Amino acid sequence: MDVLTDNFETYGEGFLGTVELTVYSSALALVLGFVMAAFRVAPVGSFRVFGAVWVTILRNTPLTLLFFAVMLGLPRFGLVLPFELFAVLALGCYTSAFICEVLRSGINTVPRGQGEASRSLGMTFSQTLNAIVLPQAFRSVIPPIGSTLIALAKNSAIAGAFSVNELLGTYKTLSELGYNIVWTFVWIAAGYLIITLTISVIFNVMEKRWGVAR
């Protein structure tokens, strides 16, 4: 317990850093994921191509490589931001590709006749998507979205290698102070467990309230 009690402030800062990364990156991933899912099923060919390219590139790019591209590449084009924002951008964009495919699978579960009925009533594609298709699609894919965001929380550990304050990065400070590395990682793992279990509980509640009964 000495590792935790003697360094509670260090652990707390790292824990809050990981929570912030997870919350902001999740918000970005959900927004981009919804947009890209809409692009993937849009009647405009250029939108579908853009969505497909987005998903293909990001899903097949290692997250560490994407971090390098964002952290080191964007400043060369004049975009200079705090490392925390770069980390949110990398994590959010990467995860959005997976959110997009999860939502697209949910969209495919919505009966096609509902879309045809809405068009016969004079509704536009965006109206049909926002009012009829996406609400039903989201309800059917709540569990996999939760699993994707849990993976995002764990992937945030990569940010520590890029001078971002997060939970895993606390081991460097504690190792330099001479603390037992095993117990250092035990408490780091406990912190991640708290975060992932919280996400799991939130999405379990959402599934019980809004999920589609199987």
Side-chain angles (χ1 to χ4, degrees):
M1 288 292 294
D2 289 345
V3 177
L4 178 63
T5 55
D6 294 347
N7 302 280
F8 192 79
E9 184 176 352
T10 301
Y11 272 114
E13 291 176 355
F15 181 82
L16 290 177
T18 295
V19 170
E20 289 179 355
L21 273 177
T22 301
V23 171
Y24 295 143
S25 300
S26 296
L28 179 61
L30 288 170
V31 171
L32 288 177
F34 270 87
V35 171
M36 291 304 152
F39 279 13
R40 294 296 308 269
V41 298
V44 181
S46 58
F47 284 0
R48 292 197 302 273
V49 171
F50 183 86
V53 170
W54 178 276
V55 170
T56 300
I57 291 176
L58 291 176
R59 282 208 309 172
N60 294 285
T61 300
L63 181 55
T64 305
L65 180 59
L66 184 60
F67 262 91
F68 274 110
V70 171
M71 297 285 193
L72 304 179
L74 292 183
R76 292 179 177 269
F77 294 95
L79 183 59
V80 180
L81 298 171
F83 280 176
E84 289 80 5
L85 290 181
F86 278 136
V88 168
L89 188 61
L91 280 169
C93 289
Y94 177 79
T95 308
S96 71
F98 297 91
I99 296 290
C100 169
E101 290 303 276
V102 169
L103 282 171
R104 191 165 70 94
S105 68
I107 289 172
N108 290 334
T109 66
V110 178
R112 185 171 298 179
Q114 294 190 22
E116 295 173 350
S118 65
R119 285 192 294 273
S120 68
L121 294 174
M123 297 177 67
T124 64
F125 171 76
S126 60
Q127 290 174 331
T128 301
L129 195 67
N130 293 326
I132 297 175
V133 178
L134 280 180
Q136 295 183 73
F138 178 75
R139 290 177 60 199
S140 67
V141 295
I142 290 175
I145 287 180
S147 297
T148 303
L149 296 185
I150 287 174
L152 182 152
K154 294 183 288 186
N155 286 337
S156 67
I158 297 176
F162 296 89
S163 302
V164 176
N165 182 32
E166 53 80 43
L167 189 56
L168 183 61
T170 59
Y171 90 90
K172 300 175 185 177
T173 302
L174 300 184
S175 178
E176 292 172 356
L177 293 175
Y179 286 96
N180 187 300
I181 194 68
V182 174
W183 283 106
T184 298
F185 278 111
V186 165
W187 291 114
I188 288 173
Y192 279 107
L193 188 62
I194 291 171
I195 293 171
T196 54
L197 285 179
T198 301
I199 297 172
S200 179
V201 168
I202 291 172
F203 276 84
N204 281 338
V205 172
M206 291 173 63
E207 183 182 9
K208 290 178 181 178
R209 184 169 182 178
W210 296 310
V212 177
R214 301 294 182 183

